[in-house]
């Protein structure tokens, strides 16, 4: 049975980021595992072409065709870790969690020093009810000095720490992520939520403002911004944001909550 795929916007963004990280070239991280073009066998070259095709098909939401291309890539090169990682991400998106886990673990077994694989598997664990277990994999990725995308693992670690209510760890991870990538919408939204819950409304306003400057105006962002402005006593800003919430998301649960004055739910 396929899992429910109705996941929050921020989770979708993180999964897509993980997918891109998995498929990106990272010669510093993989130079001991991936031969140069001149040293590749015919099978390895065919495998890489098949994987490129698989990524293209997957981006077009043709999962079955993408999986077939990956199958052929692995047939050409059974030790091609990137192919297993890509297949894991596709199975994860399909809700085939057992198959996803098998492929994540195979990718890590073949290329244990590839930080993207540790990050992606950590995110998988976080999404399948093993949030605490996921942190060790994010830490493994972060310890690798060749890792070119530490903000992703830091953001994921922060998001997953929030799931098991370790707010102090979440703030630490997310604050570090912000230093690497201050424009990341997920990081800013998560920090806004942390500071709102802590009643540090000025800091919450700063971070939610960065989200809205990125033109992210989904209902939960606007609703949080409204609640922040209400706590700060800025009724003009609150009214303006409420107008946007009504216009953009008039049928949402957030607008319904605004209408009944449920500011503290």
């Amino acid at each position: 049975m396929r899992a429910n795929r109705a996941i929050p916007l921020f989770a979708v963004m993180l999964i897509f980021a993980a997918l891109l990280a998995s498929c990106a070239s990272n010669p510093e991280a993989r130079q001991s595992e991936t031969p140069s073009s001149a040293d590749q066998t015919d099978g390895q070259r065919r495998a890489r072409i098949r994987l490129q095709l698989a990524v293209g098909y997957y981006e077009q939401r043709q999962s079955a065709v993408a999986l077939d291309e990956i199958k052929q890539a692995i047939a050409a090169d059974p030790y091609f870790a990137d192919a297993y990682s890509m297949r894991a991400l596709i199975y994860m998106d399909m809700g085939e969690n057992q198959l996803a886990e098998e492929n994540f673990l195979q990718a890590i077994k073949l290329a244990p020093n590839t930080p993207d694989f540790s990050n992606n598997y950590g995110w998988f664990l976080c999404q399948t009810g093993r949030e605490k277990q996921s942190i060790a994999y994010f830490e493994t990725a972060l310890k690798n000095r060749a890792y070119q995308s530490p903000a992703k693992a830091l953001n994921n670690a922060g998001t997953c720490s929030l799931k098991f209510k370790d707010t102090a760890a979440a703030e630490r991870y997310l604050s570090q992520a912000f230093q690497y990538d201050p424009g990341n919408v997920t990081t800013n939204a998560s920090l806004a939520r942390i500071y709102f819950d802590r009643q540090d409304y000025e800091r919450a306003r700063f971070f939610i403002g960065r989200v809205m400057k990125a033109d992210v105006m989904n209902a939960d962002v606007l609703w949080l911004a409204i609640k922040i402005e209400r706590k700060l006593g800025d009724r003009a800003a609150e009214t303006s944001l409420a107008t946007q919430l009504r216009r953009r998301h008039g049928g949402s649960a957030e607008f319904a909550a605004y209408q009944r004055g449920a500011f503290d739910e």
Side-chain angles (χ1 to χ4, degrees):
M1 179 180 297
R2 288 170 61 131
N4 183 357
R5 294 180 61 187
I7 55 181
L9 170 65
F10 299 148
V12 172
M13 294 166 63
L14 286 168
I15 291 171
F16 186 64
L19 173 62
L20 293 180
S22 166
C23 300
S25 174
N26 192 347
E28 290 80 7
R30 302 181 194 174
Q31 60 184 357
S32 63
E33 298 155 11
T34 302
S36 67
S37 297
D39 295 333
Q40 287 179 9
T41 66
D42 288 341
Q44 289 170 332
R45 282 190 287 271
R46 290 198 306 274
R48 279 152 182 77
I49 291 170
R50 289 293 185 183
L51 181 58
Q52 290 172 6
L53 291 169
V55 172
Y57 283 121
Y58 183 69
E59 289 174 346
Q60 298 172 30
R61 311 309 298 166
Q62 298 184 49
S63 297
V65 182
L67 287 171
D68 185 63
E69 292 292 349
I70 292 173
K71 180 179 179 180
Q72 294 184 63
I74 291 172
D77 180 3
Y79 302 102
F80 189 17
D82 282 8
Y84 291 99
S85 181
M86 180 68 196
R87 186 159 68 177
L89 288 163
I90 295 173
Y91 280 136
M92 179 180 174
D93 187 45
M94 295 171 64
E96 298 285 357
N97 289 341
Q98 181 175 344
L99 292 171
E101 184 151 23
E102 290 172 1
N103 281 274
F104 277 125
L105 292 174
Q106 182 65 11
I108 291 172
K109 179 180 178 181
L110 291 170
N113 296 320
T114 304
D116 285 326
F117 295 170
S118 296
N119 173 61
N120 292 347
Y121 183 52
W123 183 248
F124 169 78
L125 291 172
C126 182
Q127 297 305 297
T128 53
R130 290 171 283 178
E131 295 88 350
K132 290 185 178 181
Q133 188 179 339
S134 73
I135 301 300
Y137 288 91
F138 300 133
E139 290 285 359
T140 296
L142 291 166
K143 288 175 184 176
N144 191 317
R145 293 184 179 180
Y147 193 25
Q148 296 182 347
S149 306
K152 292 176 182 175
L154 287 165
N155 188 70
N156 288 350
T159 299
C160 297
S161 295
L162 285 175
K163 283 193 170 189
F164 58 88
K165 303 186 185 308
D166 189 343
T167 307
E171 181 184 8
R172 183 176 69 254
Y173 284 124
L174 292 165
S175 294
Q176 291 179 60
F178 180 81
Q179 295 302 314
Y180 281 104
D181 185 8
N184 186 284
V185 170
T186 307
T187 303
N188 283 291
S190 297
L191 286 169
R193 170 57 65 184
I194 287 172
Y195 292 124
F196 178 80
D197 290 343
R198 192 179 293 171
Q199 301 181 16
D200 189 345
Y201 301 122
E202 288 288 356
R203 293 177 81 179
R205 172 194 266 172
F206 170 79
F207 287 107
I208 204 67
R210 296 183 65 86
V211 176
M212 292 189 293
K213 283 180 181 178
D215 201 30
V216 175
M217 297 288 189
N218 49 311
D220 58 335
V221 167
L222 286 167
W223 179 223
L224 178 56
I226 288 168
K227 292 194 288 185
I228 291 169
E229 296 301 339
R230 187 173 184 83
K231 292 293 186 181
L232 289 170
D234 191 334
R235 292 295 183 263
E238 177 190 335
T239 301
S240 175
L241 289 163
T243 299
Q244 291 191 57
L245 180 61
R246 176 183 55 78
R247 187 175 68 248
R248 295 169 182 264
H249 309 286
S252 66
E254 288 81 1
F255 184 63
Y258 172 77
Q259 287 182 301
R260 66 175 183 270
F263 297 99
D264 296 317
E265 287 185 359

